Amino acid sequence: MEPSHETQQQPKKKASPFKIILLLLGSVLAVVGLGGLGWGIQTYRQMYAGTDISLLDKEPARSTFFYDRSGAVITELTNARMEYMLLNHFPKIMLDAVTAVEDARFYEHHGLDYQGIARAFYQNLKSGYTVEGGSTITQQLAKTMLLTPEQTYRRKLKEAVASLKIEDTYSKDQILEKYLNYIYFGEGAWGLQRAAETYFGKDASQLTLAESALLAGIPKSPTNYSPVKKPEASKERRNLVLSLMAEQGRITPAQRDEAMKEEIRLAAPAAQQTAKIYPSYIDHVINEASQKYGLTEQQILSSGLHIHTNLDPKVQQAAEEVYRNPDFFPEDKGGLQSGIVLMEPQTGAVLGIVGSRNPDPKFREFNYATQNERQPGSTLKPLLVYAPALAAGFGPRDQIYDTETDFGGGYTPMNYRKQFHGWVTLEEALVESYNIPAVALLKEIGIDQGLEFGRKAGLPLQEADRTLGIALGGMSKGTSPLQMAQAYTMFANNGNLAKAYAIRKITDAQGNLVGRETQPVLEPMLEPGAAYTMTKMLEKVVTEGTGRSARMDRPVAGKTGTTQLPDTPEFKDRWGNQIDGSKDAWFVGYTPELVAAVWLGYEKTNKDHYLTTTGGKYPASLFKEVVSRALKDVPVTAFSRPEKYRAYAGGRKRINGENAPKYAERTGESGTAKAAGTPAAPAAAPAPQEAAAAAAAGAQAQTPEAAGAKGEARPAAAGGAAKEPAGGQPGAEGTAAAKEGAAAGGASPPAGGDTAAGAGADGTGAGEAGPAAGTGGGTAEGTAPPAGSGSTAGSEPPPQTAGGGTGAGSSTQPGGDEADAQAPEAAAGTAAGTGTGATP
């Protein structure tokens, strides 16, 4: 058999499994790579498009300038972390120092320095830990301005994308300029300009080579390279920067060596940029700009505004001088606070504000002159009681029967030391600050009438204040010196209330008006004649009554006010008796040129921190000191008497006991005053619930009027002597001389009539005579009379006043609640009876 000629097929060589795996893996990688590249490009485009770098285009924050009423700059203020400067403001040596140490190839890369990244990666791999970073100046700008500080790969990716977009949008010089303005240099200094000021006390344009190198080395680690906290580390870092500059040819070796020898000389620590000049006033201006112009604090402090104010430097400096002197606050037990506002009554312009007694006031701290809400005590009486009464047709000589009265629901307000004075005129009740007459008068004219008047005057009265207790100043919310000063402008301004305003106008950085220029706003409240009558009554408060500490060599009118300590266990002595102290003390007064309101008290009243004074003493003294200094060299003028003014004194109207006879009549040689009859029943009492609310309001307010009125000083027991404190014993809130009784050497005027010069009362020397309507008992808190002189039962003599003669018969001092009195030098005669003064 022949052999076959067919070609036999050779068996195929099997592919190696390893090669197959490599082929498949390569194919997969190729596919994945291409897909991943596509995905990466797409992701980059999305991230690039979604990266917002517009923040870098925003207008940098600019300082706001504040001007006084004459147009002079008061202060410059900003909340910006940095002070933006153009690149050409910085010396070239500073720019070289920064780029040398932070980004040597800054002008060569496009946001990411790949060579720098590779070099940093190699150095870190070789050392085993991170010793070098690869961030460019552009990346640092992106991180500082656009991103959060989180340390994640995603954040680093965002940083890289943002850097590329920044480089596409801005020039290199623009990027460097922004970097130098926004980067942090430690010690609270953002930006190169602030850093130069903070560390060297100079402008950045004046930096030397050594100073530039030191500052350039800080941003890497502001904590570790702070020349303040770590001077040696800072110096080593500076020298490294100098070496890098020399290596890169930016300076010569000789310049490097010379700069390295230079010692670091830092300026004194720079104070934080705040309103160090007139801080209380500037704080109020910021608040007013926010409330009236709708500006945020950020806008106010960083928009380059020019705010023109009504501040009068002479008035402001007078207030600050007094408030810096601790001698005017002798009762300070630690933390005693006070606030004062001074206004121009004709316009409402706020001329001066001191909002605290803090020796080093902090920016935007609490302002006790404008933000405080305290019960004003008797300073409220002219606003809610007496002014509305004058508007309703009452006159100063109309009379109120001052006796214990239940106004319904158990509301029975008391005068000081539970004393009563019988028939008193409206004027006398105001001058002596009696409580019961004030409540009776408010009841007569109507609570709603009084509240409406008070609200029109700008007082923050609440629905809860609709009680008779509001007559005594027991506001549920309280009020501020600013609001009280504004309310009293009506008396000094012919019955027109002048709305308070501190800002005259605001312009922006380009000079355009922001909002409207403010004009005075006057609101008619009283007829000019009624306002002038009120002023004459309040003048007597200062010349004869509770506000004598405010007297000065020019016409002054005003009212004192005090609120007593809360009736709580904390303010009881070991026998359970109420501590004789005060929570708040006020004086609100005015001259023809100025109106001012003063508050005195503690932020938190407790058993260790409370007042032992009243509004007639230190607040009135503060008013006098500040206003007299503010008006130094200003000609003395009288209060303006309205044209065709016809005084309406009244005298026919009687309330709270229309048929009751005069309170006292003289009987016997002892001069004992006694009631000449029983007073008629008071007019119809208010609804029990209303009176109960009044009583509750009085208790809540803790005014001395409602909670047992308080006197300026502590009177001695009947016939006894009182201890005289240093500087003179304060007297009761009463007139300086007799208001009742015969006047030696002169005829007695009719009840409620004019005064006549004559003898003083309570054994003092002659003073101002008062209405001769018999005698009424009273307290006059002063020093005990000298041996052999007469004394007042349950009281002490008032101060001696100008004049001569001695008391005749049984003249007495009508009691009041407070006034500063000096010890009498001579006294004669006797007086008997008891009386109570109300705290203002």
Side-chain angles (χ1 to χ4, degrees), residues 360-376:
D360 184 23
K362 302 296 187 295
F363 181 52
R364 308 299 283 145
E365 71 178 2
F366 186 78
N367 194 318
Y368 290 95
T370 62
Q371 297 174 308
N372 211 14
E373 293 181 340
R374 298 293 183 116
Q375 292 154 354

Side-chain angles (χ1 to χ4, degrees), residues 213-214 234-245 256 259-262:
L214 184 144
S234 178
K235 187 174 183 179
E236 291 178 9
R237 178 71 173 170
R238 179 200 69 179
N239 293 344
L240 172 63
V241 174
L242 291 169
S243 297
L244 290 172
M245 293 178 72
R256 174 199 62 199
M260 284 185 176
K261 295 177 184 177
E262 190 173 310

Side-chain angles (χ1 to χ4, degrees), residues 195-281:
E197 294 170 348
T198 298
Y199 292 112
F200 302 113
K202 61 171 62 175
D203 191 88
S205 62
Q206 302 172 329
L207 291 170
T208 66
L209 171 59
E211 292 168 345
S212 297
L214 184 144
L215 293 181
I218 293 176
K220 174 80 173 178
S221 180
T223 300
N224 293 323
Y225 299 133
S226 167
V228 175
K229 296 182 175 65
K230 296 186 177 181
E232 289 303 317
S234 178
K235 187 174 183 179
E236 291 178 9
R237 178 71 173 170
R238 179 200 69 179
N239 293 344
L240 172 63
V241 174
L242 291 169
S243 297
L244 290 172
M245 293 178 72
E247 290 175 12
Q248 297 169 17
R250 300 173 190 265
I251 58 174
T252 65
Q255 289 175 308
R256 174 199 62 199
D257 296 341
E258 186 67 23
M260 284 185 176
K261 295 177 184 177
E262 190 173 310
E263 291 297 323
I264 298 175
R265 296 183 178 87
L266 300 178
Q272 183 180 5
Q273 189 177 6
T274 61
K276 290 295 183 183
I277 300 178
Y278 313 143
S280 297
Y281 196 99

